[in-house]
Amino acid sequence: MIKKIVLTGGPCAGKTTVLSCIANDLTKLGYKVFVCSESATELINGGVRCFGEKALEKIDFQKLIMLYQWQKEEVYNDLFNYYKDDSVVIIYDRGLMDNKAYINEREFNDVLSWLSNKIGINVTEDDILQRYDMVIHLVTSAYGNNYTLENNSARTEDVKSAIELDRKTMEAWMNHSNLKVINAEEDFKVKVNNVLDSIHNLLSSSIRKRRQIKYQIDIEDKILESIKSRCIISDIEQIYLKNDTLEERIRKVKRGNDVSYYYTKQVKKENGESYVILNKSVTEEEYNILKNNCEIVDIITKRRYLFIYDKQAFRLDEYSNGYILELDVGKEETKVIIPEGIVIEKNICNCNKKRLTPSI
């Protein structure tokens, strides 16, 4: 078995400490663990920079990072040939999509074209996302009072820039089918344990456990406008297929000019826990085949706003007659801080039978 996991996030999110904890934990459990260090930091510390004297152009710097990261990943991927009898876990300190947080859409496409020509293989965003089994995004501590750059000389962001970079990094990975957003916590041990729980869940079996909190809410107009001004927006078409034993659905997610398609099977419980049996990206053709040939029991369309509040990642779903607020939590006792201006009307963890009217 070989599993490939990206650890990413904004500046001062605790990646260095978490990486060490992951390696120690999994090694004790008998896994052979490899850590692929952050390419940008290596290049910057080696004198290759897009700032300062004789700086490279930003786009050229991103090209070099992409090429360097690709080449390193190919080396680490080959490790499986030498450890065929072991359970191998490769942890990437940032992955190829992280570069998209530093440049715009057109520039990133130019970088992909340049990389494709350089290595002789056509590389798309979907190709990149398929390289990893899980992506773990650590929310930056810049949302709180513990922000520091003392442990990484290659970093220069102030608090405002760190928060914006955190958002852009999360946005870059939004289309990965197994993205885990790990909230910042007052007790850093809680954050580490939430990361380890996600990884253990991935490694233990093909069935992954997920715990959510969901509320039907009322929200003040000014709070809603504030959220919209600093969030990641997706338009979602979610189609539920007939299945008498579990929830089976397909999903079309549009974010800007990007469209992604997913197929999911899961068992949902009323306490907010889900047991994900299958969750994978599919092509548009596969999506349409399922849509046109399976019995459909429900279709919903909604607009989703993903935002950070008090170091926690919330999803706000907009319907014609109301809003649903949801949050992934590591443990049942996780303390949830509801954003100011939002009033909880009722808990709807078992949302299959309590969905609001589609709107978008």
Side-chain angles (χ1 to χ4, degrees):
M1 182 193 74
I2 181 169
K3 293 293 184 182
K4 293 175 283 187
I5 302 170
V6 173
L7 190 66
T8 185
C12 193
K15 281 197 298 97
T16 301
T17 302
V18 171
L19 276 169
S20 177
C21 293
I22 293 172
N24 291 335
D25 178 80
L26 296 185
T27 299
K28 290 177 182 178
L29 294 176
Y31 292 92
K32 184 63 178 175
V33 182
F34 298 98
V35 177
C36 181
S37 55
E38 184 177 354
S39 296
T41 297
E42 288 182 357
L43 290 177
I44 291 171
N45 288 338
V48 183
R49 303 180 178 183
C50 61
F51 56 86
E53 186 179 357
K54 295 185 178 180
L56 293 173
E57 293 294 330
K58 180 176 62 174
I59 190 74
D60 293 326
F61 183 64
Q62 292 303 323
K63 288 177 180 178
L64 292 180
I65 293 175
M66 287 286 279
L67 178 60
Y68 187 41
Q69 180 72 21
W70 181 278
Q71 292 171 333
K72 286 201 304 180
E73 288 190 9
E74 291 301 292
V75 171
Y76 277 86
N77 291 343
D78 282 344
L79 290 171
F80 181 65
N81 296 320
Y82 301 94
Y83 295 92
K84 292 182 178 179
D85 296 329
D86 295 288
S87 293
V88 176
V89 177
I90 303 174
I91 308 294
Y92 297 102
D93 186 350
R94 300 198 181 278
L96 290 160
M97 288 303 299
D98 277 88
N99 298 66
K100 194 175 182 180
Y102 298 85
I103 50 182
N104 61 39
E105 185 78 24
R106 180 188 59 78
E107 291 171 331
F108 187 71
N109 289 333
D110 288 344
V111 171
L112 287 183
S113 296
W114 179 88
L115 177 65
S116 299
N117 291 331
K118 197 74 174 177
I119 64 177
I121 302 172
N122 185 45
V123 180
T124 66
E125 285 195 24
D126 191 57
D127 295 328
I128 291 175
L129 296 173
Q130 295 291 338
R131 292 169 70 86
Y132 313 107
D133 297 291
M134 175 183 282
V135 177
I136 298 175
H137 178 98
L138 304 178
V139 174
T140 177
S141 64
Y143 289 97
N145 300 315
N146 301 317
Y147 185 66
T148 178
L149 297 175
E150 292 181 0
N151 64 339
N152 190 339
S153 60
R155 285 289 183 191
T156 59
E157 298 87 358
D158 58 19
V159 170
K160 182 178 180 180
S161 298
I163 291 175
E164 178 66 8
L165 189 53
D166 184 89
R167 183 190 66 80
K168 288 183 177 179
T169 301
M170 185 162 54
E171 184 176 16
W173 288 103
M174 274 296 294
N175 289 332
H176 194 278
S177 61
N178 194 19
L179 170 65
K180 302 295 181 183
V181 179
I182 305 298
N183 299 321
E185 303 282 355
E186 293 299 328
D187 185 350
F188 191 74
K189 291 181 180 179
V190 175
K191 191 173 190 178
V192 173
N193 287 335
N194 288 340
V195 171
L196 295 178
D197 285 346
S198 295
I199 294 176
H200 292 168
N201 204 7
L202 173 71
L203 300 177
S204 61
S205 70
S206 60
I207 298 178
R208 301 195 300 273
K209 184 177 179 181
R210 183 187 189 193
R211 183 179 290 112
Q212 290 182 312
I213 294 175
K214 286 189 177 185
Y215 301 111
Q216 185 171 319
I217 63 164
D218 184 36
I219 183 170
E220 296 178 6
D221 289 342
K222 65 177 182 179
I223 301 300
L224 179 60
E225 292 306 312
S226 175
I227 289 174
K228 289 181 178 181
S229 69
R230 55 185 172 86
C231 70
I232 298 170
I233 301 175
S234 301
D235 289 316
I236 299 172
E237 176 186 69
Q238 195 158 287
I239 300 176
Y240 292 82
L241 309 177
K242 182 174 176 55
N243 191 316
D244 295 330
T245 58
L246 49 78
E247 180 182 279
E248 184 176 3
R249 72 188 189 199
I250 53 176
R251 172 181 285 195
K252 175 182 177 181
V253 180
K254 186 175 186 300
R255 182 171 51 83
N257 294 323
D258 295 329
V259 181
S260 301
Y261 304 87
Y262 303 96
Y263 177 51
T264 302
K265 289 183 178 181
Q266 63 182 354
V267 177
K268 303 192 77 172
K269 302 177 69 175
E270 292 193 10
N271 64 355
E273 290 182 352
S274 300
Y275 293 86
V276 183
I277 299 169
L278 178 67
N279 186 34
K280 68 173 185 177
S281 299
V282 294
T283 65
E284 181 179 6
E285 181 182 7
E286 291 170 326
Y287 178 86
N288 288 326
I289 288 173
L290 288 166
K291 181 178 180 178
N292 296 327
N293 293 280
C294 295
E295 183 177 350
I296 295 174
V297 296
D298 198 4
I299 300 177
I300 65 169
T301 54
K302 59 187 177 182
R303 176 158 290 168
R304 168 164 288 178
Y305 307 98
L306 175 62
F307 67 98
I308 305 294
Y309 179 82
D310 197 27
K311 301 171 287 185
Q312 293 181 312
F314 288 90
R315 295 179 296 274
L316 177 65
D317 289 344
E318 180 181 3
Y319 298 83
S320 63
N321 61 339
Y323 297 88
I324 290 177
L325 184 71
E326 63 181 52
L327 172 74
D328 288 337
V329 293
K331 300 184 182 299
E332 290 185 17
E333 61 270 20
T334 298
K335 182 180 180 181
V336 178
I337 307 298
I338 301 298
E340 295 180 5
I342 292 179
V343 178
I344 297 174
E345 296 180 339
K346 60 181 175 180
N347 188 318
I348 54 167
C349 281
N350 185 20
C351 64
N352 282 343
K353 299 178 181 178
K354 300 177 181 178
R355 223 175 274 123
L356 297 181
T357 304
S359 66
I360 305 302

